[in-house]
Amino acid sequence: MRDRALLLGYLAAVVTATLVHDPRVLGAGAVLVLLSAGRDLPRLLRRLLRATLPVVLAVSLGYVVAARDDLATAGAVLLRLDLRVLLLVGLALRVLPAVNLQRALGFSDSLRFLLVLATSQVLAFGRLFADFRHALDARTPARVGPPTALRHGAATAAWFVRRAEHDAAAMTQALDARGLFLDRD
Amino acid sequence: MHIPDGFIAPQVYGPAYGAAGVLWAVGLRRLRRRLDPAAVPRLAVATAAAFALMMVSLPLPGGTTVHVSGVGMVAVLFGVWQAFLALSLVYLLQAFMLGTGGVTALPVNALAMGLGGSLAAVGALRLLGRGRVGLFLAGWFGTVVPAVIVAFVLGLQPLVARAADGTPLFFPFGWAVTLPAVVIPHLAVGVADGVLAVLAWRILAPQEEP
Amino acid sequence: MIATEQLRHAYGPTVTLAGVDLVLAAGQKVVLLGSNGCGKSTLLKLLAGVIAPSSGRVLYAGRAVHEGLRDKGWRRRFRREVGLLFQNPDAMLFNATVLDEIAFGPRQHGLDSAGDRARDWAGRVGLDAVLDRAPWTLSAGQKQLVCLASLLVLEPRLLLLDEPTSALDPRSTGWLVDFLQDLPQTLLVATHNLSLASELGERCLVVGEDHTIIHDGDVLALRGDHEVLARANLVHTHRHRHRDGEVQHRHYHTHDWD
């Protein structure tokens, strides 16, 4: 229940934040989200900046250059836009990791089942992938050039595809052995 | 090509959720109706494979690195429907596990990359066969077509969402800016995706045959 | 040669190493024992500088590794002198043939006659017959040997080996133990296999389930120290019934002992 309520609350906040256009309201919302982090504020700020800064800067600078004849209007447009981005991305970083997706979307058994399987596989693949990157790092004295990187990328991609096929077969056998397909012919 | 939250207007993400929602429902129903017990596990691992492929990064001349999109490879390996569902799941899990990706951008990404990219990649392969050219173009179109769609959607924002004084409420640039700014870099990224698809297939293909 | 100072590492909220101090002297053969998930692999990756510590530092030849790796020349030297064998050999293999795989390191370091060096080391670990095969078509044991040869071909000074016998059959395991003993390199070998410990090295570090080093010393002394072994989850006790009597009793037990 908690997860579904959290998710619905988050979605309502997102929709509201895209329907309201007053920069004071958007700014107040962003400040609220930031303050709600409490002691985690520096971490949240860091992640927020890392997620938004490059694209927000590129868009903002581009817009200032394009609208240099009327900087006041450009400033108002950018204030509204950037505060909205901050609010929405902050909200996502703050709320979504706390939501248990499997429980929030638990209205369908097969969807929940799919999410559990996919999440565990994604986490496992993420850890395995880190090893591939580390191994290349450990074996190279300097940044590798494009030919090596491509060869490494292709071998990595192929390995994960094969691993995926293998895991799918193993998972199906395990589910079968546990009686999951008994109701099917 | 990650669109953050706050750039897409409700006039666009609303209908995008509608369209993507219908397709998700159809895809999941197809999955259930196929009496193949491996269907759900296959989709789960296809999702993980797509996730891993997206983490592959390649250096560009000039010292930056770029992540490949992996869309073409996923589509070629798993088919359009599976690829669409798997890529949608990746965006969903990224949004929830890492808090990145953005829920307002999610349906746009799912439609652009998961559907548009997969269709383009599989189309290229059908037309040209599983030779080197076909695989390369599958990888290339799998990156470039989504970029065109994303550029189109971004450029649409100032047209559909404007304040009373005519200033844009969301993403502020029109097509004249978004098409070259988004598409041109992806013409190059697509080359990386294409070469990767060809090389990876060369490793996988000998084992595909009995 | 390599040392750590209060080395800590955590993945998010999960602590993987909680303050490790160790010193390896040149030429030592050291075994790193611990149960699965205690942080052995993490420690090796930290020593090889492929992941960064959360706090504390690794010192190689007197310099902090993470600071040194930013210096191009130092990084080149460090990568040449320190080799890390990954637990999953697939993570290391990406070249088209076994020969290319082994020659990759020498080519990266710009050494002359990389091909000859590779052929030589392939022969020493018994891979002559598969030089032209693609590494991903080999058996798990052969893959492990390709990885090992890829490291040895650079003639590093320090070898960090993560479960090097995990995919080897008993005969190859025996061969590898002898082979490693004859190497001049400083060795740190991680394993959860107690019976291999005494064969692989004279000194033994035990990582406990609290992610700290709970034993540093002689291997043979460790085998009598049931308290440490139980704390590290390297032995277990269970009810035991002997054929010659009715008596049931408990004692420490490992199924891979000798």
Side-chain angles (χ1 to χ4, degrees):
Chain A
M1 257 339 269
R2 177 192 158 270
D3 293 289
R4 207 167 297 172
L6 209 53
L7 181 60
L8 287 175
Y10 164 76
L11 292 176
V14 167
V15 172
T16 310
T18 54
L19 293 176
V20 173
H21 306 306
D22 187 337
R24 284 166 300 186
V25 179
L26 295 170
V31 169
L32 269 181
V33 169
L34 289 176
L35 288 182
S36 76
R39 262 190 302 169
D40 261 350
L41 182 61
R43 208 171 90 88
L44 181 64
L45 265 179
R46 243 193 340 266
R47 297 185 61 196
L48 189 56
L49 288 181
R50 202 182 311 150
T52 57
L53 201 60
V55 62
V56 162
L57 263 186
V59 169
S60 302
L61 288 177
Y63 196 70
V64 166
V65 172
R68 58 187 170 279
D69 298 334
D70 186 0
L71 284 178
T73 314
V77 168
L78 288 177
L79 188 67
R80 187 166 57 205
L81 179 72
D82 294 347
L83 283 176
R84 198 194 315 267
V85 171
L86 277 187
L87 168 59
L88 286 170
V89 177
L91 209 54
L93 287 171
R94 185 79 189 86
V95 181
L96 291 186
V99 177
N100 181 322
L101 194 59
Q102 285 84 24
R103 252 183 275 156
L105 297 182
F107 49 82
S108 152
D109 275 348
S110 47
L111 187 58
R112 187 172 52 209
F113 177 48
L114 173 63
L115 282 171
V116 171
L117 289 184
T119 309
S120 67
Q121 282 290 305
V122 163
L123 288 175
F125 275 31
R127 274 194 300 270
L128 284 166
F129 189 87
D131 264 356
F132 281 72
R133 233 185 36 229
H134 291 149
L136 182 64
D137 185 30
R139 292 184 67 190
T140 46
R143 255 171 64 95
V144 297
T148 305
L150 268 173
R151 214 160 63 232
H152 185 259
T156 306
W159 189 86
F160 276 97
V161 167
R162 276 200 305 267
R163 172 72 189 238
E165 282 165 357
H166 171 265
D167 282 5
M171 218 184 277
T172 308
Q173 286 157 5
L175 296 172
D176 194 11
R178 292 177 68 191
L180 200 85
F181 307 126
L182 287 179
D183 53 342
R184 306 191 187 184
D185 296 301
Chain B
M1 212 179 346
H2 243 73
I3 312 172
D5 272 326
F7 280 179
I8 307 278
Q11 292 89 324
V12 172
Y13 75 70
Y17 260 115
V22 169
L23 290 167
W24 287 330
V26 172
L28 288 175
R29 178 162 304 177
R30 277 173 59 104
L31 199 68
R32 256 207 313 232
R33 219 186 289 141
R34 279 197 1 214
L35 286 171
D36 175 9
V40 170
R42 260 186 78 80
L43 178 56
V45 293
T47 305
F51 175 79
L53 290 176
M54 280 183 211
M55 288 200 287
V56 172
S57 60
L58 300 170
L60 287 182
T64 52
T65 58
V66 61
H67 283 273
V68 301
S69 78
V71 172
M73 279 190 68
V74 176
V76 167
L77 288 160
F78 298 99
V80 173
W81 275 107
Q82 291 247 16
F84 170 59
L85 291 176
L87 289 162
S88 302
L89 266 171
V90 171
Y91 305 133
L92 185 74
L93 292 177
Q94 277 178 342
F96 276 76
M97 281 164 27
L98 309 168
T100 60
V103 279
T104 59
L106 187 121
V108 175
N109 283 329
L111 291 171
M113 286 174 246
L115 193 65
S118 299
L119 277 173
V122 170
L125 207 69
R126 289 258 166 86
L127 233 74
L128 298 159
R130 283 181 188 248
R132 227 183 273 176
V133 180
L135 282 164
F136 174 80
L137 285 178
W140 191 76
F141 276 121
T143 303
V144 173
V145 168
V148 174
I149 298 174
V150 166
F152 174 79
V153 171
L154 282 176
L156 193 64
Q157 304 310 308
L159 297 178
V160 297
R162 269 193 263 203
D165 60 0
T167 54
L169 286 168
F170 291 86
F171 189 79
F173 297 111
W175 293 317
V177 174
T178 60
L179 283 170
V182 177
V183 176
I184 289 174
H186 282 90
L187 298 177
V189 176
V191 173
D193 257 272
V195 176
L196 197 75
V198 173
L199 291 179
W201 198 259
R202 203 183 288 166
I203 297 172
L204 288 167
Q207 300 181 342
E208 299 283 300
E209 288 146 22
Chain C
M1 150 169 258
I2 199 161
T4 67
E5 287 174 353
Q6 275 305 300
L7 197 60
R8 279 168 207 281
H9 185 266
Y11 287 107
T14 317
V15 174
T16 39
L17 280 180
V20 166
D21 290 282
L22 63 86
V23 180
L24 297 191
Q28 274 189 328
K29 306 255 188 281
V30 182
V31 183
L32 183 64
L33 262 173
S35 60
N36 290 325
C38 70
K40 295 190 301 285
S41 297
T42 305
L43 179 56
L44 292 187
K45 286 177 191 164
L46 285 164
L47 292 174
V50 293
I51 56 175
S54 308
S55 68
R57 52 188 196 154
V58 179
L59 295 166
Y60 179 76
R63 187 163 179 187
V65 168
H66 263 86
E67 179 261 322
L69 283 172
R70 278 184 232 123
D71 168 351
K72 270 189 185 172
W74 197 85
R75 181 186 158 98
R76 184 162 277 279
R77 175 188 155 202
F78 182 77
R79 288 282 174 250
R80 173 91 198 264
E81 295 181 356
V82 179
L84 170 61
L85 181 79
F86 281 70
Q87 187 174 358
N88 172 11
D90 288 324
M92 295 177 65
L93 303 171
F94 66 96
N95 288 287
T97 66
V98 169
L99 186 67
D100 283 340
E101 195 68 62
I102 303 176
F104 175 76
R107 283 182 190 138
Q108 285 289 308
H109 283 274
L111 305 184
D112 55 3
S113 47
D116 292 339
R117 288 171 197 255
R119 245 177 238 107
D120 176 35
W121 278 98
R124 292 200 214 182
V125 300
L127 292 168
D128 301 286
V130 295
L131 278 179
D132 295 324
R133 293 259 302 271
W136 56 82
T137 62
L138 302 178
S139 73
Q142 285 174 316
K143 284 180 186 172
Q144 230 159 11
L145 295 176
V146 175
C147 294
L148 188 65
S150 310
L151 302 179
L152 286 168
V153 68
L154 286 171
E155 299 179 22
R157 296 180 60 211
L158 171 64
L159 270 176
L160 307 164
L161 310 179
D162 197 351
E163 304 273 2
T165 61
S166 60
L168 298 183
D169 56 47
R171 191 187 305 131
S172 314
T173 301
W175 171 84
L176 184 70
V177 168
D178 288 342
F179 181 79
L180 293 178
Q181 288 313 301
D182 293 339
L183 289 175
Q185 271 91 354
T186 311
L187 272 185
L188 181 62
V189 187
T191 179
H192 63 274
N193 188 327
L194 243 187
S195 59
L196 272 176
S198 54
E199 295 166 8
L200 283 169
E202 58 268 15
R203 177 179 164 202
C204 180
L205 298 164
V206 179
V207 186
E209 289 185 304
D210 60 352
H211 311 289
T212 62
I213 295 207
I214 58 173
H215 172 90
D216 179 357
D218 189 63
V219 174
L220 294 171
L222 172 74
R223 287 177 41 165
D225 194 341
H226 289 154
E227 193 256 323
V228 167
L229 292 177
R231 252 172 75 206
N233 201 6
L234 289 164
V235 291
H236 62 269
T237 67
H238 65 149
R239 272 203 321 278
H240 216 74
R241 199 196 305 265
H242 286 275
R243 291 225 168 166
D244 52 357
E246 303 284 303
V247 195
Q248 279 194 16
H249 66 120
R250 280 181 174 276
H251 64 198
Y252 287 99
H253 208 68
T254 164
H255 282 289
D256 58 36
W257 197 292
D258 291 355

